[in-house]
Amino acid sequence: MSVAFMAMVLAALVRSVGVTWLPSYWMELITLSGGLWVRAFALYLAQFSKMLVQPRVDGHPG
């Protein structure tokens, strides 16, 4: 999961700091940021999808 967290932090840094420092590359940086964001959530989904679709262990609804 640390790779997913690092990708999310990098996405935020690229989107805010990168565009501020290199405004001429804003489209490339926004695209890179979006790719990092997708990667972070894909890794999260791969890690936790099984838990999210199974019934609860304690048997309670919801």
Side-chain angles (χ1 to χ4, degrees), residues 1-60:
M1 280 316 298
S2 62
V3 175
F5 292 132
M6 189 61 122
M8 186 58 67
V9 169
L10 279 173
L13 288 175
V14 166
R15 187 173 208 110
S16 58
V17 177
V19 173
T20 302
W21 287 348
L22 301 166
S24 60
Y25 296 103
W26 72 273
M27 187 57 148
E28 291 84 358
L29 292 171
I30 295 296
T31 303
L32 175 62
S33 176
L36 288 168
W37 188 87
V38 168
R39 181 184 190 99
F41 280 99
L43 289 169
Y44 176 83
L45 185 62
Q47 178 79 23
F48 293 108
S49 61
K50 185 177 178 183
M51 179 184 68
L52 293 172
V53 297
Q54 288 180 344
R56 286 178 50 162
V57 177
D58 61 4
H60 292 277

